[in-house]
Amino acid sequence: MSNRLPDRSSADVVLIVDDVPDNLSVLHDALDESGYTVLVATSGETALQRAGQALPDVVLLDAVMPGMSGFEVARRLKGEAATAHIPIIFMTGLTDTEHVVAAFEAGGADYVTKPIRPKEVLARIAAHVQSARHTRQARNALDAFGHAAVTVRASDGRLVWQTPLARSLLTRYFASAEPQLPEAATDWVQAQSQAQLAGLATSSFTVAHGANRLVLALHEQTGDGEWLVVMREASDAAVVEAMTHTFRLTLREAEVLYWVVKGKTNRDIADILGMSAATVKKHLEHVFDKLGVETRTAAAGLAIGRVRQLAANG
C-alpha cells in the first residue's frame, strides 16, 4: 500500500483512515481493483499530513480511533482552506442518532456503517468523487479566467474554497482574513439558497467601500449545503470625481454627497466610509456651503442632475 504522492492525471485518489489493518487491507484491495489510487493512514495525525500533501478526491474516515478521533480529523480538514473542499465519508459502527449528527456536524458528507460492505462503499465514493470532479473543473475554469468566486457552506457562511481574486476582495471589503462570510452575508446566502431551491428569483448582496461596491450573486449548488457565489466589483469613482470638480469639493465631501444621493443616513455613511457620524455631519455642512443649499434634499437634487448629465454625455 503506497503512500507516495499520486499522479492526478491517471486516477481519482482516495485516502483511507483506519487504525485496524484488516479494514485497511479489505478497502484498499476493493478500491485498487476499481481503478482508484489509494492512500492509507492509521492515525489522525498521519491522516492530516497525507491529506495536506496529496489533496485526495475523497477521504474515507474511521470515526472512532485511539488518540485523535475521526470527528476531530474532519473538523481540522474542514478548517483548512486547502482541504476544506474534500468530501469526507465516515465509517462507523455508531448508528445512534447523536453519533450520526456528530459526523455531519464535523463536516462529513456521508457515512457507512460497519461491518463495511465494499460494494456500498464503492457506490458512495463514486457519487462523491464525480460531484467533486465537476466542482473542481468549474473552480479551475474560474481561476483560469480570473473570476472572483467562493464556495460557501450555507449553514454557517464557512468558505470552503475561494479564488485568489475573491480572497483579495473579501479581505478588502470585509476587513477580515477569516475563512468565513460575515453574519449579514451568511444570512443572505441562506435566504437566497432557499429561494433558488424553491424555484424563486434571487437577488444580489452589495457591500460598499467608498465609491466602490462588491456585488455578490448566488450561482449554483456545488454540494450538499454548499453554494458557489460569484463576485464582481463595481465603481462609481468617476461620478465622485465629477462631483469633486463640478462643486469644488474635497474627495471626502464628494463621497459623503454621493451616499446622500443614494439615500443613506449620516450613520450609514459613517459606517461605509469608516468615520464618525459627527465627521460626516461636518463634511455635509461644507457641502451645503459650497452648493449654496440648506438641506440634504436640495444637495441630492443638484448632485443627481450632475449624474444624469454625465450619463447623457457618456
Side-chain angles (χ1 to χ4, degrees), residues 14 19 43 118 127 143 160 222 232:
V14 179
D19 64 304
S43 69
D143 249 342
V160 178
T222 60
R232 64 179 176 85

Side-chain angles (χ1 to χ4, degrees), residues 2-287:
S2 172
N3 279 306
R4 291 179 298 175
L5 292 181
D7 176 6
R8 305 311 296 256
S9 64
S10 59
D12 294 306
V13 179
V14 179
L15 171 62
I16 310 172
V17 187
D18 199 318
D19 64 304
V20 180
D22 287 346
N23 291 344
L24 287 174
S25 180
V26 170
L27 289 167
H28 180 279
D29 290 348
L31 288 163
D32 186 61
E33 289 175 7
S34 297
Y36 292 102
T37 296
V38 185
L39 303 177
V40 299
T42 56
S43 69
E45 291 80 2
T46 306
L48 294 174
Q49 182 182 20
R50 297 257 156 81
Q53 290 174 338
L55 300 180
D57 295 285
V58 65
V59 175
L60 194 57
L61 178 60
D62 187 18
V64 180
M65 296 184 293
M68 187 185 300
S69 72
F71 301 123
E72 180 60 23
V73 172
R75 280 190 286 269
R76 294 197 186 187
L77 289 175
K78 293 301 178 181
E80 293 292 331
T83 54
H85 66 282
I86 301 172
I88 298 171
I89 302 175
F90 273 98
M91 299 181 292
T92 178
L94 306 173
T95 55
D96 291 343
T97 300
E98 63 180 296
H99 294 125
V100 173
V101 170
F104 285 111
E105 287 182 342
D110 205 346
Y111 75 98
V112 292
T113 56
K114 293 182 177 182
I116 295 299
R117 295 178 288 275
K119 286 186 177 180
E120 178 187 355
V121 173
L122 286 170
R124 300 290 181 92
I125 286 176
H128 288 287
V129 164
Q130 183 178 27
S131 176
R133 186 187 303 120
H134 291 161
T135 302
R136 186 171 64 248
Q137 290 170 347
R139 290 168 178 165
N140 290 343
L142 287 166
D143 249 342
F145 288 99
H147 290 296
V150 297
T151 300
V152 182
R153 196 163 63 197
S155 61
D156 59 6
R158 188 81 179 179
L159 299 179
V160 178
W161 170 88
Q162 53 192 310
T163 64
L165 179 56
R167 186 178 300 112
S168 174
L169 291 172
L170 288 171
T171 301
R172 190 190 325 157
Y173 279 85
F174 295 117
S176 172
E178 290 295 318
Q180 187 163 351
L181 290 179
E183 184 177 353
T186 299
D187 291 344
W188 168 79
V189 170
Q190 292 172 350
Q192 300 309 306
S193 61
Q194 291 171 6
Q196 189 171 122
L197 290 173
L200 304 175
T202 59
S203 58
S204 60
F205 180 85
T206 302
V207 186
H209 181 71
N212 297 329
R213 305 184 308 280
L214 183 64
V215 182
L216 283 64
L218 196 72
H219 189 60
E220 62 182 11
Q221 190 170 18
T222 60
D224 187 19
E226 296 176 359
W227 293 80
L228 181 67
V229 174
V230 178
M231 308 174 185
R232 64 179 176 85
E233 190 174 27
S235 175
D236 283 337
V239 174
V240 171
E241 184 179 359
M243 289 180 179
T244 302
H245 295 304
T246 301
F247 302 119
R248 299 182 183 277
L249 304 176
T250 66
L251 176 59
R252 275 310 202 191
E253 290 167 355
E255 288 177 341
V256 168
L257 178 57
Y258 170 83
W259 290 110
V260 167
V261 171
K262 293 289 185 179
K264 300 298 184 182
T265 66
N266 284 9
R267 187 171 296 279
D268 292 335
I269 297 171
D271 291 339
I272 292 168
L273 298 181
M275 61 178 68
S276 69
T279 302
V280 172
K281 182 180 179 182
K282 181 60 68 175
H283 282 313
L284 202 50
E285 289 172 356
H286 294 162
V287 169

